[in-house]
Amino acid sequence: MIAIKNERELESMRQACKITAAARALAGDMVRPGVSTKAIDQAVHDFIVHQGAKPSFLNYNGYPASACISVNSTVIHGIPGGYILKEGDIVSVDVGAYFKGFHGDCAATFPCGTVSAEAQKLIDVTRQSFFEGIRYATKGNRVQDISHAVQTYVESNGFSVVRSFVGHGVGRQLHEEPEVPNYGAPGRGPRLLPGMTIAVEPMVNVGTYEVRVLKDGWTTVTADGKLSAHYENTVLITDGEPEILTVTEGL
C-alpha cells in the first residue's frame, strides 16, 4: 500500500531529508586522495547523530555501516573500510537519516581529484538523468513515466541503467511501495498522487547493466568491471512541480 503523507508528516520528513542531504554534502567534501572510506562513514555517522537523528542504514537488515560508499566499479552497497581513496577514483555515497519517525534517503557520485573524461561524463549523465526523470514526477502521471525518461536519457548518452535494483517509496519505512525502476515503458505503474514521497535513484553503468553481489551479501559491482555512478533524492509529489526534499538549505 502506498502511503500518502499529510502536512504534519511531511514537515518531519523535510527535517529528516535536510539532515540526510547535509550528510551527503559532508561526505562529498571529504572525497579526496588519501582519505579512507571508513573515515567518511564515521563522519557521516557522527554528523547524523549530532543532529539528533539516527543513521537509517546502520544495522538495516544487518548492514554494518552508516553510509554506503561505492568506489569505481562498485554500483551500490559498498561497505566502508580501509580502502584509501586515490586520484581518479569516483566515489558514490548513499546516506539516510531517521528523524521524528521518518527517513530521508539520497546519494551522489563524487570525483576524487582529477578523473577521466569518461568518468566525469558518467557522473554528469547520471545526475542529469534524475532531473530528466522527475520532470514527469507530477500528479496524474505514472511511476514508469519517470522510469522511461531516465532510461531514454542514459541510453542516448551511451550508458546503461541497472535493472536489478530500483528506487522506492520512502517515509516511515526506509523502503516502501511503490518501486521506482530506472527503465521501462511509459504509462505503466501506480499513478502519482500528491503526498507520495519517492526515492528516485538512477544507477548508471559505462558498460553492461548486469551486476553481481559479492560474498559479503551487500557489495554490488558491475558484471564487466566497468565504472558505475549513482544519484538519488527523496522527492515529494505535489499539486504542481515535484519538491526535492533532500536539500541542505535551512540546517
Side-chain angles (χ1 to χ4, degrees), residues 29-98:
D29 288 343
M30 292 182 68
V31 171
R32 58 185 180 273
V35 176
S36 73
T37 57
K38 181 63 177 175
I40 297 174
D41 177 69
Q42 188 65 55
V44 165
H45 175 275
D46 293 349
F47 174 81
I48 291 173
V49 170
H50 183 72
Q51 296 296 320
K54 294 181 180 180
S56 297
F57 298 173
L58 185 60
N59 299 319
Y60 181 77
N61 291 336
Y63 186 75
S66 297
C68 298
I69 304 180
S70 305
V71 182
N72 296 333
S73 62
T74 300
V75 181
I76 49 171
H77 303 161
I79 299 173
Y83 180 80
I84 305 297
L85 299 180
K86 64 182 187 296
E87 187 87 11
D89 284 341
I90 64 171
V91 185
S92 299
V93 181
D94 192 355
V95 295
Y98 181 69

Side-chain angles (χ1 to χ4, degrees), residues 101 125 132 223:
V125 167
E132 296 294 325

Side-chain angles (χ1 to χ4, degrees), residues 148-232:
H148 181 71
V150 170
Q151 180 182 15
T152 299
Y153 183 77
V154 167
E155 293 180 353
S156 73
N157 280 279
F159 299 135
S160 64
V161 291
V162 171
R163 302 185 180 209
S164 301
F165 297 87
V166 298
H168 52 90
V170 59
R172 291 191 180 276
Q173 305 297 321
L174 183 58
H175 292 92
E176 299 181 347
E177 294 181 27
E179 289 193 341
V180 185
N182 296 304
Y183 66 96
R188 297 182 181 178
R191 196 170 295 283
L192 300 172
L193 300 172
M196 289 174 61
T197 48
I198 56 176
V200 178
E201 53 174 322
M203 292 155 270
V204 178
N205 296 346
V206 166
T208 178
Y209 64 76
E210 297 287 353
V211 302
R212 60 189 180 91
V213 180
L214 301 187
K215 289 181 180 179
D216 62 24
W218 287 105
T219 307
T220 301
V221 300
T222 57
D224 57 10
K226 295 184 179 180
L227 295 177
S228 184
H230 186 194
Y231 189 78
E232 173 187 22

